[in-house]
Amino acid sequence: MAFYKLVFLLILIIMLQHRGIIYRASKEAAVRRELRELGESTLPKSSNVLGSWRMYGVNEVDPIATGPEGNTLENTPMSKKELFISFFPDGSFTQVRDNNAYSTGKWAFDSTSQSVFLTSERVTQEVGISFEIAENGLRVMHFEFNPKESMLLMEYGKPLSNYREDPFFEGNNEWRIKPEKPENAVQLRKRLSNYLLHNIYLLKAAKTREQNRVSWEFSEGILRIYNPGIGVVKPSQVPAPWINAFYSEQNAREAFNMFEDFMKKSKFKGSGKGNWVEQNYKILIDIRNGMKTPGP
């Protein structure tokens, strides 16, 4: 009797599969699961703030960059026309503004008011947050400073499992912090090493996140990226934001010459395997390891 029940069950499954009933049911379940996950990602909660976000609407006449009555955001800590901000699980956040101006701070989420408290440069501000999904499928986070002033941030990069390897985590951006006095050769080499570390993690994050492109928009520097290969830009093409990170233009020139001389006397090649992102990631690791030695 059990044998006949088993045969009947198998025949029933085959008929349902043939008519597409089981397929549709599984598809509907997948859709429901996707909608549930999507809904979870738009709830105002601490974990949904994590990751990197960039402001879109980069001029004063763009309605996205202004409040509902046309009020600009000039009186808020995040009022610049360009903004890239990253939130990390340890309660820290970093931001890059126009001209690569870099700053750090602390953040905390308040579930009662559905807002975040941002503390930077001894100033704390409460910002209301909410989420929605844009037409391109990315999440949008609303920053509301007050009923008349708000800002929209587009999801740029999801949080990494090892957030300390995020290219914009504070420890990977020491090269951006302007020193208070001139630096010697040892200090300049250390700054270059941290700059290379930032770029290493920039490539690694792009590969981990399966991003279609790698952007150096918020990481301007002296590396010239090939497909594959790593070079140095011409002295006349060194970007101003990179120079401004040094104590003086002279220190910036010394660091550039140091790196250029090192690259001229060294050869680093890709393995020939993998895409250009993976190959350049490995090349940069070799370059950084080579620069740790006293000479090239």
Side-chain angles (χ1 to χ4, degrees), residues 76-90:
T76 69
M78 300 180 196
S79 62
K80 299 298 183 182
K81 295 180 184 178
E82 190 57 271
L83 172 68
F84 182 91
I85 186 167
S86 302
F87 294 92
F88 303 103
D90 65 349

Side-chain angles (χ1 to χ4, degrees), residues 157-171:
K158 296 185 181 301
L160 299 173
S161 56
N162 184 355
Y163 67 91
R164 294 184 181 277
E165 290 188 353
D166 189 292
F168 294 95
F169 184 69
E170 183 175 1

Side-chain angles (χ1 to χ4, degrees), residues 153-251:
L153 298 166
M154 180 74 75
E155 185 177 39
Y156 183 89
K158 296 185 181 301
L160 299 173
S161 56
N162 184 355
Y163 67 91
R164 294 184 181 277
E165 290 188 353
D166 189 292
F168 294 95
F169 184 69
E170 183 175 1
N172 307 322
N173 291 268
E174 295 172 357
W175 62 277
R176 299 180 189 264
I177 309 302
K178 196 179 187 73
E180 297 179 354
K181 58 184 180 180
E183 295 181 307
N184 57 35
V186 174
Q187 292 169 318
L188 291 176
R189 185 181 290 266
K190 183 178 179 181
R191 183 176 291 270
L192 282 172
S193 178
N194 188 259
Y195 166 69
L196 293 175
L197 182 65
H198 170 81
N199 282 273
I200 287 170
Y201 286 148
L202 195 66
L203 293 169
K204 185 176 183 179
K207 185 175 183 299
T208 301
R209 290 167 172 157
E210 298 181 343
Q211 293 175 327
N212 296 326
R213 58 189 291 267
V214 183
S215 173
W216 275 267
E217 180 183 1
F218 299 99
S219 307
E220 292 183 88
I222 59 176
L223 291 181
R224 191 181 181 98
I225 309 298
Y226 295 94
N227 184 11
I230 300 294
V232 190
V233 301
K234 296 179 180 179
S236 60
Q237 296 177 333
V238 178
W242 193 81
I243 296 175
N244 293 337
F246 291 84
Y247 175 79
S248 64
E249 187 173 345
Q250 179 181 347
N251 258 181

Side-chain angles (χ1 to χ4, degrees), residues 111-171:
S111 58
T112 303
S113 61
Q114 294 187 343
S115 60
V116 291
F117 287 84
L118 305 175
T119 301
S120 181
E121 298 175 355
R122 298 184 179 181
V123 175
T124 298
Q125 183 169 15
E126 182 180 5
V127 182
I129 61 169
S130 60
F131 297 88
E132 65 180 59
I133 303 297
E135 292 182 0
N136 58 8
L138 295 177
R139 292 186 303 154
V140 176
M141 180 163 57
H142 292 246
F143 264 22
E144 184 174 297
F145 300 98
N146 58 58
K148 294 184 178 181
E149 294 180 323
S150 62
M151 176 186 294
L152 300 184
L153 298 166
M154 180 74 75
E155 185 177 39
Y156 183 89
K158 296 185 181 301
L160 299 173
S161 56
N162 184 355
Y163 67 91
R164 294 184 181 277
E165 290 188 353
D166 189 292
F168 294 95
F169 184 69
E170 183 175 1

